[in-house]
């Protein structure tokens, strides 16, 4: 049987997963913002400004936002025409067939899995720093991932937070996202506090020179901050729990991207206006800027708020990871027990627990510094699939019907997405490409050892 066997376009839309359809556009926008606005705004802005773009980091965000919006447009058309759970995996199953769908799904699993684990580890670092300021120190063995030289064995706090997040995400979707929505409001409050206080300490002289590293620095900065936008794809993972997916998912995707872009640009302008970019190479640039102008109380509030709101990224990413695992197992490409729906909560409980345990092990015992860029490269790879997928979708099924989202300027915009994603991939280190190659090999082994034979389409044939 062909490894390129495809699902019918109408078949997935007729399926009933048994999950509650209770999410609206506002829920999806909050989910998207919860996943996007986190480490990007609280961590990456400082280092990217100092090492890559200077005050022109605002332009880097605009360049990155352009690429992300192109991705969002492709997602939006796919989501409105194929409004089912699974995101890029489900879309590729319809237009390219099973092997491309599986590898796309595998790349998405890698993205969310690495993101959940790394954010949990980062959250642990913030919490340990906060506890240290109060005079509370964890035993060395429990303070970090395994490192014989440092005497660390397991990152206890990362494991504990993932236990909590896994349990929370296993609840009903509306309940699971309620904490996310609350923390998004806290996040908005912190950012608004920084803007209101910080705007009075901006010195325009700090914006000079505006482009200390030239235009190449702007592009390098864009390559870094591009990944500060990742997480918008979490919205498409909620398709089978949305009241009107054809309308609400495109709105959720585009809305969350636009709001995040405005927040990033405003915060970066104020940040580089308060502190000379050469002094921003810190892990907590937003709080550091407040300390720089001797607003220590505000800095403390921002630090505590950042600790709380990083939970939203973990919740949104774990939610999405569980849904993609569930969607793939439902098609038989992963073990079927992960497609079981909890009869009471009507959520993919087993998929959530599997995703949670795997993330706990990874965050608790494995250092992530060598694998950080893997998140970038796997994401860019499946965005290339998405760009080509739109061209294939139009060729196979024609123009979108009335009421369906339409990406403009096809084939130009999808091809621009392909070129931009490919160019950003080429900027990544050789070591990242080697790890990426290993991940691809593992993905192919899983498919041919299990997925090919157990696929629902194979059983139908």
């Amino acid at each position: 049987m062909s490894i390129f066997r495809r699902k019918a376009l109408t078949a997935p839309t007729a399926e009933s997963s048994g999950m509650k359809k209770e999410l609206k556009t506002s829920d999806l926008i909050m989910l998207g913002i919860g996943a996007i606005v986190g480490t990007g705004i609280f961590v990456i802005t400082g280092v990217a400004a100092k090492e890559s773009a200077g005050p022109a980091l605002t332009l880097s965000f605009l360049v990155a936002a352009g690429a992300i919006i192109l991705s969002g447009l492709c997602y939006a058309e796919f989501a409105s025409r194929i409004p089912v759970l699974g995101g890029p995996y489900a879309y590729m199953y319809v237009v390219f067939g099973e092997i491309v769908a599986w590898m796309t799904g595998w790349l998405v699993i890698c993205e969310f899995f690495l993101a959940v684990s790394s954010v949990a580890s980062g959250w642990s670092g913030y919490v340990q720093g906060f506890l240290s300021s109060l005079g509370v120190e964890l035993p060395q063995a429990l303070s970090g991932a395994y490192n014989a030289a440092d005497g660390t064995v397991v990152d206890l706090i990362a494991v504990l937070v993932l236990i909590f997040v896994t349990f929370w995400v296993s609840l009903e979707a509306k309940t699971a996202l309620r904490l996310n929505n609350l923390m998004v409001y806290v996040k908005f409050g912190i950012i608004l506090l920084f803007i209101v206080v910080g705007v009075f300490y901006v010195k325009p002289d700090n914006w000079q020179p505006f482009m200390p590293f030239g235009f190449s620095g702007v592009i390098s900065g864009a390559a870094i901050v591009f990944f500060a936008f990742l997480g918008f794809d979490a919205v498409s993972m909620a398709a089978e729990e949305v009241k009107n997916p054809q309308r609400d998912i495109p709105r959720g995707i585009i809305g969350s991207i636009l709001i995040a872009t405005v927040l990033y640009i405003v915060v970066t302008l104020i940040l580089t206006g308060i502190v000379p970019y050469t002094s921003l190479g810190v892990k907590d640039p937003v709080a550091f800027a407040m300390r720089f102008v001797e607003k220590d109380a505000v800095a403390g509030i921002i630090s505590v708020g950042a600790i709380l709101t990083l939970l939203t990224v973990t919740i949104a990413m774990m939610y999405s990871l569980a849904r993609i695992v569930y969607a793939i197992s439902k098609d038989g490409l992963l073990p079927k027990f992960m497609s079981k729906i909890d009869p009471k909560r009507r959520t993919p409980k087993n998929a959530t627990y599997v995703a949670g345990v795997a993330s706990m092990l990874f965050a608790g015992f494995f250092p992530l510094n060598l694998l950080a860029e893997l998140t970038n490269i796997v994401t860019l790879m499946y965005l290339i699939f998405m760009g080509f997928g739109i061209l294939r979708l139009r060729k196979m099924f024609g123009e979108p019907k009335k009421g369906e989202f339409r990406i403009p300027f096809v084939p130009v915009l999808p091809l621009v997405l392909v070129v931009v994603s490919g160019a950003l991939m080429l900027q990544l280190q050789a070591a990242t490409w080697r790890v990426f190659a290993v991940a691809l090999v593992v993905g192919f082994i899983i498919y041919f050892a299990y997925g090919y034979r157990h696929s629902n389409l194979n059983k139908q044939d």
Side-chain angles (χ1 to χ4, degrees):
M1 181 60 196
S2 172
I3 60 176
F4 295 100
R5 51 199 174 200
R6 293 185 291 108
K7 278 188 173 183
L9 177 60
T10 55
T13 59
E15 294 174 359
S16 174
S17 66
M19 292 193 283
K20 286 185 178 180
K21 291 183 175 291
E22 58 183 355
L23 303 182
K24 300 177 292 186
T25 299
S26 58
D27 296 308
L28 298 178
I29 290 177
M30 297 295 272
L31 173 63
I33 293 172
I36 297 169
V37 183
T39 51
I41 205 165
F42 292 118
V43 179
I44 202 172
T45 46
V47 174
K50 180 183 179 182
E51 298 181 359
S52 298
L57 188 66
T58 51
L59 299 182
S60 298
F61 273 114
L62 284 175
V63 172
I68 287 294
I69 288 172
L70 287 177
S71 307
L73 291 174
C74 291
Y75 264 90
E77 178 164 329
F78 266 121
S80 69
R81 302 185 71 178
I82 312 175
V84 294
L85 188 69
Y89 157 77
Y91 311 150
M92 296 305 105
Y93 221 147
V94 171
V95 297
F96 285 130
E98 188 169 276
I99 184 63
V100 178
W102 159 253
M103 290 309 297
T104 301
W106 175 245
L107 293 174
V108 175
I109 287 174
C110 289
E111 177 203 1
F112 286 128
F113 174 69
L114 289 166
V116 167
S117 301
S118 60
V119 172
S121 295
W123 192 86
S124 173
Y126 271 100
V127 172
Q128 289 186 56
F130 178 70
L131 292 176
S132 180
S133 69
L134 299 177
V136 179
E137 300 286 348
L138 286 178
Q140 184 68 11
L142 304 179
S143 64
Y146 179 76
N147 187 319
D150 293 340
T152 56
V153 177
V154 61
D155 190 335
L156 178 63
I157 292 179
V159 172
L160 291 177
V161 73
L162 284 174
I163 290 174
F164 167 75
V165 168
T166 301
F167 167 74
W168 196 263
V169 171
S170 71
L171 303 178
E172 294 178 354
K174 197 77 173 179
T175 302
L177 296 181
R178 192 170 293 137
L179 178 61
N180 176 78
N181 294 354
L182 174 62
M183 289 297 103
V184 168
Y185 286 122
V186 173
K187 189 180 302 185
F188 279 140
I190 294 168
I191 294 171
L192 182 62
L193 175 65
F194 172 75
I195 292 171
V196 170
V197 175
V199 73
F200 293 102
Y201 293 90
V202 169
K203 296 180 179 178
D205 289 346
N206 287 332
W207 291 329
Q208 302 299 326
F210 186 67
M211 266 193 234
F213 302 99
F215 189 70
S216 62
V218 172
I219 300 303
S220 297
I224 296 172
V225 301
F226 175 86
F227 307 107
F229 286 93
L230 295 184
F232 73 90
D233 42 354
V235 174
S236 66
M237 300 300 169
E240 291 190 16
E241 294 163 279
V242 179
K243 290 181 179 179
N244 188 342
Q246 288 182 307
R247 180 196 68 193
D248 294 340
I249 289 181
R251 290 180 179 180
I253 291 172
I254 301 301
S256 57
I257 292 173
L258 291 178
I259 292 171
T261 301
V262 172
L263 291 176
Y264 280 148
I265 290 173
V266 172
V267 168
T268 303
L269 271 174
I270 294 177
L271 183 66
T272 54
I274 295 174
V275 184
Y277 75 91
T278 52
S279 301
L280 280 174
V282 294
K283 293 182 178 179
D284 56 344
V286 177
F288 174 79
M290 292 293 95
R291 292 195 297 270
F292 188 81
V293 294
E294 300 181 348
K295 293 293 181 182
D296 292 343
V298 176
I301 293 172
I302 289 174
S303 294
V304 173
I307 290 172
L308 291 174
T309 57
L310 281 175
L311 273 177
T312 65
V313 182
T314 316
I315 290 171
M317 291 294 186
M318 181 67 79
Y319 175 92
S320 304
L321 176 58
R323 267 64 183 172
I324 185 67
V325 170
Y326 162 78
I328 295 175
S329 65
K330 191 171 68 168
D331 289 332
L333 301 181
L334 286 174
K336 277 285 190 180
F337 82 92
M338 289 187 282
S339 65
K340 182 180 178 181
I341 295 294
D342 183 280
K344 180 179 179 181
R345 297 169 177 167
R346 292 168 65 184
T347 58
K349 180 176 67 175
N350 290 349
T352 303
Y353 290 161
V354 168
V357 170
S359 299
M360 285 175 220
L361 292 173
F362 203 81
F365 293 97
F366 295 93
L368 298 176
N369 56 321
L370 296 179
L371 296 176
E373 284 192 354
L374 183 59
T375 307
N376 307 346
I377 200 168
V378 297
T379 305
L380 288 165
M381 186 70 247
Y382 78 70
L383 290 183
I384 290 176
F385 290 162
M386 290 287 286
F388 283 127
I390 285 292
L391 303 182
R392 179 69 172 165
L393 181 69
R394 290 286 184 93
K395 183 177 181 180
M396 291 174 63
F397 303 108
E399 297 292 315
K401 299 180 178 63
K402 184 178 180 181
E404 295 176 340
F405 186 89
R406 175 192 300 269
I407 181 174
F409 307 114
V410 174
V412 175
L413 291 188
L415 290 177
V416 170
L417 173 61
V418 169
V419 171
V420 170
S421 299
L424 290 174
M425 287 179 72
L426 293 176
Q427 294 193 25
L428 300 177
Q429 301 175 22
T432 303
W433 279 91
R434 288 193 289 269
V435 177
F436 177 56
V438 172
L440 290 180
V441 170
V442 171
F444 279 117
I445 290 174
I446 294 173
Y447 174 72
F448 287 107
Y450 182 89
Y452 178 81
R453 291 181 292 110
H454 293 84
S455 164
N456 290 351
L457 293 186
N458 187 48
K459 294 176 180 178
Q460 290 173 12
D461 295 330

